[in-house]
Amino acid sequence: MITQTIVPTTHDLGQFQVRRALPARERSMIGPFIFVDQFGPAQLDIGAGMDVRPHPHINLATVTWLFEGAIDHRDSLGSYSTIRPGQVNLMTAGSGIVHSERSPQEHRETGPRLYGMQTWLALPDGREEIDPAFEAVVNLPVIADKGAKATVVMGELWGERAPVTTYAQTIYAEIVLESRGSTPIEPSADERALMLVGGAASIDDTALDLYTLTVLEPGRSMTLRSDRGGRVILLGGEAFATERHVWWNFVSSSRERIEQAKQDWREGRFPEVPGDSEEHIPLPPGAPKTVTYP
């Protein structure tokens, strides 16, 4: 049974679109996921590319997962990684980190493809201020059966566990369905949601709408299937008992901590990104209000 559907807000960035499903007015979190963006598929012009200048985060972890294309990641720890399909990048901000995301030069020369997911996980109580960290993992479990292939990106699903750090109980998977393919969706987490990101699929015979975040009833086994093929993201995990505040790139259980992060970024107290420190994204103008998500 479907308990809620969330139509994302679409942002047109010229040559590609970003669809933001969380946070939303209807719902703030699915398990630890407090931010869910889907972008593409898009073919950018030759010479163009994605250029997200250095910017800060606190008290969260970012997860980047691509279906097509590549992104160069650099951060203030000195990490450098080119994200490609099949590789998950987990960046733990904790007490504070700065990073940039750009299309690789070789992709700009041929016209880069962009198609994937960017999500944030709120860090649980008592672990929000852990040391920053970065990991890129490629040896992920893949389960194939009944015309369905599922890659476990984070957490444990279908008896397989991804070798990726989790701070709260987390499930995250990409499911590719062939024509007439199907797979069970087990009641393996407090909160679960699906997003159809390509093709067509249904959950217990209810059709999924493209790019809509579909929240599933807790504790219920369901079946995901497709008549003609589709690509679906499954995400969720344990429900958070305490509220989170969100302002720009900052997530925290403390409003005061967010105010400190604003001041630290404004006054240049965050570390720089080696190899990408000539410019950065400034604080948004007008000091938008911090939003609280229970």
Side-chain angles (χ1 to χ4, degrees):
M1 180 178 178
I2 294 171
T3 63
Q4 192 175 33
T5 55
I6 301 170
V7 177
T9 300
T10 300
H11 302 275
D12 193 332
L13 302 184
Q15 295 195 43
F16 68 100
Q17 292 183 327
V18 175
R19 303 170 186 89
R20 181 157 302 164
L22 289 180
R25 181 178 300 176
E26 305 96 311
R27 190 181 185 109
S28 57
M29 298 176 70
I30 303 291
F33 289 85
I34 197 166
F35 178 98
V36 175
D37 267 9
Q38 188 279 329
F39 51 89
Q43 175 72 59
L44 278 62
D45 293 339
I46 293 175
M50 183 180 78
D51 283 295
V52 181
R53 294 169 291 161
H55 57 282
H57 292 287
I58 63 163
N59 293 188
L60 57 82
T62 69
V63 185
T64 307
W65 180 253
L66 296 179
F67 312 130
E68 296 181 47
I71 298 173
D72 280 345
H73 163 97
R74 288 180 171 86
D75 64 43
S76 52
L77 298 175
S79 311
Y80 170 74
S81 174
T82 299
I83 311 165
R84 304 182 191 276
Q87 171 183 314
V88 58
N89 272 27
L90 174 70
M91 185 187 75
T92 303
S95 59
I97 200 168
V98 181
H99 75 134
S100 65
E101 299 160 294
R102 301 181 186 271
S103 296
Q105 183 57 41
E106 63 268 25
H107 283 244
R108 296 173 190 265
E109 293 170 358
T110 57
R113 293 281 298 172
L114 280 177
Y115 186 22
M117 305 289 299
Q118 173 89 108
T119 56
W120 298 353
L121 307 176
L123 294 178
D125 294 348
R127 306 200 70 184
E128 292 179 287
E129 294 290 336
I130 59 177
D131 291 340
F134 176 80
E135 59 191 78
V137 181
V138 294
N139 295 318
L140 300 170
V142 177
I143 302 101
D145 188 34
K146 297 181 180 178
K149 183 178 76 172
T151 302
V152 182
V153 179
M154 295 183 74
E156 184 173 352
L157 287 158
W158 302 288
E160 299 283 349
R161 173 168 286 278
V164 180
T165 301
T166 55
Y167 300 102
Q169 198 255 330
T170 305
I171 57 170
Y172 192 20
E174 177 192 347
I175 305 168
V176 177
L177 300 161
E178 300 175 3
S179 177
R180 301 188 181 279
S182 67
T183 189
I185 303 298
E186 302 164 348
S188 53
D190 294 341
E191 299 176 341
R192 304 167 297 163
L194 299 170
M195 179 184 281
L196 176 69
V197 295
S202 62
I203 185 75
D204 276 2
D205 299 322
T206 298
L208 298 175
D209 292 329
L210 191 62
Y211 305 127
T212 293
L213 194 65
T214 302
V215 183
L216 307 181
E217 179 183 352
R220 182 186 179 109
S221 295
M222 309 179 79
T223 300
L224 179 70
R225 57 171 51 90
S226 178
D227 290 334
R228 58 182 179 88
R231 187 191 303 268
V232 179
I233 289 293
L234 167 65
L235 57 84
E238 67 178 88
F240 273 37
T242 55
E243 66 185 14
R244 289 295 182 270
H245 310 290
V246 179
W247 189 91
W248 190 43
N249 296 316
F250 305 138
V251 170
S252 181
S253 62
S254 166
R255 287 180 180 271
E256 292 74 19
R257 181 67 182 90
I258 289 178
E259 291 303 317
Q260 182 64 57
K262 292 182 191 180
Q263 186 174 348
D264 289 345
W265 185 244
R266 186 183 295 113
E267 298 180 5
R269 289 197 289 264
F270 275 85
E272 292 188 344
V273 177
D276 196 350
S277 59
E278 294 184 4
E279 57 177 347
H280 64 268
I281 300 177
L283 285 177
K289 180 181 177 182
T290 301
V291 179
T292 302
Y293 292 114

